Amino acid sequence: MSRVTLSRYLIEQTRSNNTPADLRFLIEVVARACKAISHQVSKGALGGVLGSMETENVQGEVQKKLDVLSNEILLEANEWGGTLAGMASEEMDKPYQIPGRYPKGAYLLLFDPLDGSSNIDVNVSVGTIFSVLRCPGNCFSQNDSLGDEAFLQPGTKQVAAGYAIYGPQTMLMLTLGDGVMGFTLDRELGSFVLTHDNIRVPHSTAEFAINMSNQRHWDEPVKRYVSELLAGEEGPLGKNYNMRWIASMVADVHRILTRGGLFMYPWDAREPEKPGKLRLMYEANPMSFIIEQAGGAATDGKQRILEVEPTSLHQRVPVFLGSPEEVERVTGYHKG
Ligand code: P6P
């Protein structure tokens, strides 16, 4: 059977689901940028790209050289194509304005250019997470600059989302709202090839992912739930659970898409004013769209993450996502 490349898949989607040609082009360009990022990441110490900058991003986190490089690769790849009205990134305080010399388009691209970058220097999988929204109204025809408010749409408004994972293989996981497809980078071809068609998250699981070192800082529903997981078959859940924590959301979510599981990054009392660590617009929303499209569930402990009404571009949110049976259980504990 001939291999279905990302390009062929997108063209077939255009025919079958009327995926707009400019959205197809946007996804192709993002995928091409992810190939370039994969190339840089794979150089490691040989590429002079490891280590940190002397700068901090809007999150107050020290930027890795590859954070900044990955951000630049995505901006330069996407600014000229005429598909975007603007871009927003974890690495930039304000939205990126499409330069006046380029045409604007109808979409907004949001991304975490290199998630899990603290793992880069220890050669653990990292990734790029992206989300696509429509620009509201006719913002792409405006001459004035695009403000944060154009991006502040709930996750249900996403028209596409995906991530690239830079691990033993480089893969691109993508949803256009009609299931989740997985593409593996064939470095000889230089193309992403469809290898996982219509991925489904198992309804139940015996594996959870959380940073246990924060246990004493969690609120009571999470403390109760995790203690029940740890009690195993002698406890109320009546089965033994395994634990994984890669501390790279892309890698943890990829494992859950592949074999099920529950990923948690709850609120904790270390910085009580912050709802959580993970960012809504370019981490939780795209990952939640993907997980739900694969039959999983994603909540902030109280409601679907995709229904959270954003109030700021870089806002954070608690995250519980993965196999529905466990997401519903831990969410139920928050409702008392
Ligand atoms: P911690 C990476 O920095 C990240 O944003 C996510 O990819 C990951 O799930 C989380 O933070 C890890 O956080 O507190 O365990 O280091």
Side-chain angles (χ1 to χ4, degrees):
M1 184 185 92
S2 65
R3 306 171 89 181
V4 176
T5 62
L6 176 64
S7 299
R8 177 175 164 186
Y9 170 76
L10 290 170
I11 285 173
E12 289 171 351
Q13 283 297 304
T14 303
R15 290 190 192 120
S16 59
N17 291 1
N18 301 316
T19 301
D22 53 353
L23 178 58
R24 183 179 80 222
F25 180 61
L26 171 58
I27 300 298
E28 295 243 35
V29 172
V30 171
R32 203 153 46 239
C34 291
K35 282 191 278 190
I37 294 170
S38 171
H39 180 65
Q40 292 299 331
V41 167
S42 67
K43 289 179 179 177
L46 298 174
V49 292
L50 296 184
S52 300
M53 311 280 288
E54 302 305 317
T55 55
E56 286 188 351
N57 61 16
V58 63
Q59 326 291 341
E61 296 164 344
V62 173
Q63 290 178 303
K64 296 287 190 182
K65 290 176 185 172
L66 271 171
D67 283 330
V68 174
L69 178 58
S70 301
N71 193 60
E72 288 168 358
I73 288 171
L74 281 159
L75 295 178
E76 289 165 15
N78 285 287
E79 65 178 353
W80 52 268
T83 59
L84 294 176
M87 293 184 253
S89 164
E90 181 192 61
E91 299 301 328
M92 302 183 301
D93 183 16
K94 303 306 288 174
Y96 182 80
Q97 309 301 321
I98 301 299
R101 63 185 178 278
Y102 298 130
K104 285 189 178 181
Y107 297 106
L108 300 171
L109 180 65
L110 303 90
F111 48 82
D112 179 356
L114 203 59
D115 179 72
S117 53
S118 58
N119 285 309
I120 290 169
D121 296 352
V122 295
N123 200 16
V124 168
S125 298
V126 292
T128 298
I129 309 171
F130 64 92
S131 170
V132 182
L133 296 167
R134 284 189 185 82
C135 194
N138 63 349
C139 65
F140 58 89
S141 62
Q142 289 165 357
N143 296 321
D144 54 348
S145 68
L146 201 61
D148 292 11
E149 62 282 352
F151 295 83
L152 300 184
Q153 304 175 42
T156 49
K157 297 289 190 183
Q158 293 175 100
V159 294
Y163 64 83
I165 179 168
Y166 313 118
Q169 308 100 45
T170 286
M171 288 190 70
L172 180 77
M173 310 301 276
L174 174 70
T175 185
L176 300 172
D178 182 28
V180 178
M181 303 298 158
F183 301 83
T184 303
L185 180 59
D186 179 331
R187 294 189 188 278
E188 292 168 1
L189 261 183
S191 300
F192 281 106
V193 177
L194 182 65
T195 49
H196 298 69
D197 191 352
N198 195 26
I199 292 169
R200 305 298 293 169
V201 174
H203 181 76
S204 61
T205 183
E207 193 162 72
F208 69 97
I210 194 167
N211 183 336
M212 286 297 293
S213 69
N214 300 324
Q215 186 172 26
R216 65 189 183 282
H217 304 298
W218 298 331
D219 61 9
E220 285 312 311
V222 176
K223 285 181 179 175
R224 169 193 171 189
Y225 176 64
V226 173
S227 68
E228 291 180 359
L229 295 171
L230 296 173
E233 57 191 13
E234 292 84 45
L237 303 184
K239 68 180 180 182
N240 294 326
Y241 287 77
N242 187 32
M243 198 199 103
R244 288 285 182 274
W245 186 248
I246 305 174
S248 177
M249 186 185 197
V250 169
D252 281 313
V253 169
H254 191 73
R255 184 190 59 254
I256 289 166
L257 269 180
T258 308
R259 69 185 193 207
L262 175 68
F263 173 92
M264 295 176 274
Y265 211 112
W267 169 92
D268 68 58
R270 290 175 297 164
E271 294 181 280
E273 74 288 352
K274 289 182 181 176
K277 174 173 186 181
L278 301 176
R279 275 67 61 157
L280 174 64
M281 297 308 295
Y282 38 77
E283 288 176 332
N285 268 345
M287 288 307 204
S288 298
F289 188 21
I290 292 165
I291 286 289
E292 285 199 4
Q293 281 289 311
T299 75
D300 64 359
K302 304 256 192 314
Q303 66 176 34
R304 277 177 79 202
I305 283 176
L306 294 183
E307 293 178 347
V308 173
E309 284 293 343
T311 53
S312 69
L313 191 56
H314 300 290
Q315 75 181 69
R316 300 169 189 265
V317 68
V319 177
F320 303 86
L321 64 79
S323 295
E325 183 177 63
E326 297 300 341
V327 174
E328 287 155 18
R329 192 193 316 274
V330 64
T331 301
Y333 288 2
H334 283 76
K335 292 174 178 165

Coordinates of all heavy atoms in Angstrom, one line a residue, residues 90 112 115-118 211 214 245 247-250 252 263 265 270 277-279 283, ligand 1:
E90 N 4.2 30.9 24.0 CA 4.6 30.9 25.4 C 5.8 31.8 25.6 O 6.0 32.3 26.7 CB 4.9 29.4 25.8 CG 5.4 29.4 27.3 CD 6.0 28.0 27.7 OE1 7.0 27.7 27.1 OE2 5.4 27.4 28.5
D112 N 3.4 26.5 22.0 CA 4.5 26.3 22.9 C 5.6 25.7 22.1 O 5.5 24.6 21.8 CB 4.1 25.4 24.1 CG 5.3 25.2 25.1 OD1 6.4 25.8 24.8 OD2 5.1 24.5 26.1
D115 N 8.1 22.5 24.4 CA 7.6 22.1 25.7 C 8.5 21.1 26.3 O 8.9 20.2 25.7 CB 6.1 21.6 25.6 CG 5.6 21.2 27.0 OD1 5.3 22.1 27.8 OD2 5.5 20.0 27.3
G116 N 8.7 21.3 27.7 CA 9.5 20.3 28.4 C 11.0 20.6 28.2 O 11.9 19.7 28.4
S117 N 11.3 21.8 27.9 CA 12.7 22.2 27.5 C 13.7 21.9 28.6 O 14.9 21.8 28.4 CB 12.8 23.6 27.0 OG 12.2 24.5 27.9
S118 N 13.2 21.8 29.9 CA 14.1 21.5 30.9 C 14.7 20.1 30.8 O 15.7 19.8 31.4 CB 13.4 21.6 32.3 OG 12.3 20.7 32.3
N211 N 3.4 14.7 39.4 CA 4.7 15.0 40.1 C 4.4 14.8 41.6 O 3.9 15.7 42.3 CB 5.2 16.4 39.8 CG 6.5 16.6 40.5 OD1 6.9 16.0 41.5 ND2 7.3 17.6 40.0
N214 N 5.0 17.1 44.9 CA 4.1 18.2 45.3 C 2.9 17.7 46.2 O 2.1 18.5 46.6 CB 3.5 18.9 44.1 CG 4.6 19.5 43.2 OD1 5.6 19.9 43.7 ND2 4.4 19.4 41.9
W245 N 6.1 9.7 35.3 CA 6.1 11.1 35.3 C 7.4 11.5 34.5 O 8.5 11.4 35.0 CB 6.1 11.8 36.7 CG 6.0 13.3 36.6 CD1 7.0 14.2 36.9 CD2 4.9 14.1 36.1 NE1 6.6 15.5 36.7 CE2 5.3 15.4 36.2 CE3 3.7 13.8 35.6 CZ2 4.5 16.5 35.9 CZ3 2.8 14.8 35.3 CH2 3.2 16.1 35.4
A247 N 7.8 14.6 33.1 CA 8.0 16.0 33.3 C 8.2 16.7 31.9 O 8.8 17.7 31.8 CB 9.1 16.3 34.2
S248 N 7.6 16.1 30.9 CA 7.5 16.7 29.6 C 6.0 16.4 29.1 O 5.7 15.2 28.8 CB 8.5 16.1 28.6 OG 8.4 16.6 27.4
M249 N 5.2 17.4 29.2 CA 3.8 17.2 28.9 C 3.5 16.4 27.6 O 2.7 15.5 27.6 CB 3.0 18.5 28.9 CG 1.5 18.3 28.8 SD 0.6 19.8 28.6 CE -1.1 19.3 29.0
V250 N 4.3 16.8 26.6 CA 4.1 16.2 25.3 C 4.4 14.7 25.4 O 3.6 13.8 24.9 CB 5.0 16.8 24.2 CG1 5.1 16.0 22.9 CG2 4.6 18.2 23.9
D252 N 4.3 12.7 28.2 CA 3.3 12.1 29.0 C 2.0 11.9 28.3 O 1.3 10.9 28.3 CB 3.1 12.9 30.3 CG 4.2 12.6 31.3 OD1 4.5 11.4 31.6 OD2 4.8 13.6 31.9
F263 N -3.2 11.9 33.2 CA -2.2 13.0 33.4 C -2.8 14.0 34.3 O -3.9 14.5 34.1 CB -1.8 13.6 32.1 CG -0.9 14.8 32.2 CD1 0.5 14.6 32.2 CD2 -1.4 16.1 32.4 CE1 1.4 15.7 32.3 CE2 -0.5 17.2 32.5 CZ 0.8 17.0 32.5
Y265 N -1.9 17.7 36.5 CA -1.1 18.8 37.0 C -2.0 19.7 37.7 O -2.6 20.7 37.2 CB -0.2 19.6 36.0 CG 1.0 20.1 36.7 CD1 2.3 19.6 36.4 CD2 1.0 21.0 37.7 CE1 3.4 20.0 37.1 CE2 2.1 21.4 38.4 CZ 3.3 20.9 38.1 OH 4.5 21.3 38.8
R270 N 2.0 25.8 46.6 CA 3.3 26.4 46.5 C 3.2 27.9 46.0 O 3.9 28.8 46.5 CB 4.2 25.6 45.6 CG 4.7 24.3 46.1 CD 5.5 23.6 45.0 NE 4.7 23.3 43.8 CZ 5.2 23.0 42.7 NH1 6.5 22.9 42.5 NH2 4.4 22.7 41.6
K277 N 0.1 25.0 36.9 CA 1.4 25.3 36.2 C 1.2 25.5 34.7 O 1.8 26.3 34.1 CB 2.5 24.3 36.5 CG 3.7 24.5 35.7 CD 4.9 23.6 36.0 CE 6.1 24.0 35.3 NZ 7.3 23.1 35.5
L278 N 0.3 24.6 34.1 CA 0.3 24.5 32.7 C -0.6 25.7 32.1 O -1.6 26.1 32.7 CB -0.3 23.2 32.2 CG 0.6 22.0 32.7 CD1 0.0 20.7 32.4 CD2 2.0 22.1 32.2
R279 N -0.3 26.1 30.9 CA -0.9 27.2 30.3 C -2.1 26.8 29.5 O -2.1 25.7 28.8 CB 0.0 28.0 29.4 CG 0.9 29.0 30.1 CD 1.9 28.5 31.0 NE 2.9 27.6 30.5 CZ 4.1 27.4 31.0 NH1 4.5 27.9 32.1 NH2 4.9 26.5 30.4
E283 N -1.1 25.0 25.7 CA -0.8 23.7 26.2 C -2.1 22.9 26.5 O -2.4 21.9 25.9 CB 0.1 23.8 27.5 CG 1.5 24.3 27.3 CD 2.3 24.5 28.5 OE1 1.7 24.7 29.6 OE2 3.5 24.3 28.5
Ligands
P6P1 P1 7.4 19.8 36.9 C1 7.6 21.4 31.3 O1 8.3 22.4 31.9 C2 6.1 21.5 31.7 O2 5.6 22.7 31.3 C3 5.3 20.4 31.2 O3 5.8 19.9 29.9 C4 5.4 19.3 32.2 O4 4.3 18.4 32.3 C5 5.6 20.1 33.5 O5 6.0 21.4 33.2 C6 6.5 19.5 34.5 O6 6.5 20.2 35.7 O7 6.9 20.7 38.0 O8 7.1 18.3 37.2 O9 8.8 20.0 36.5

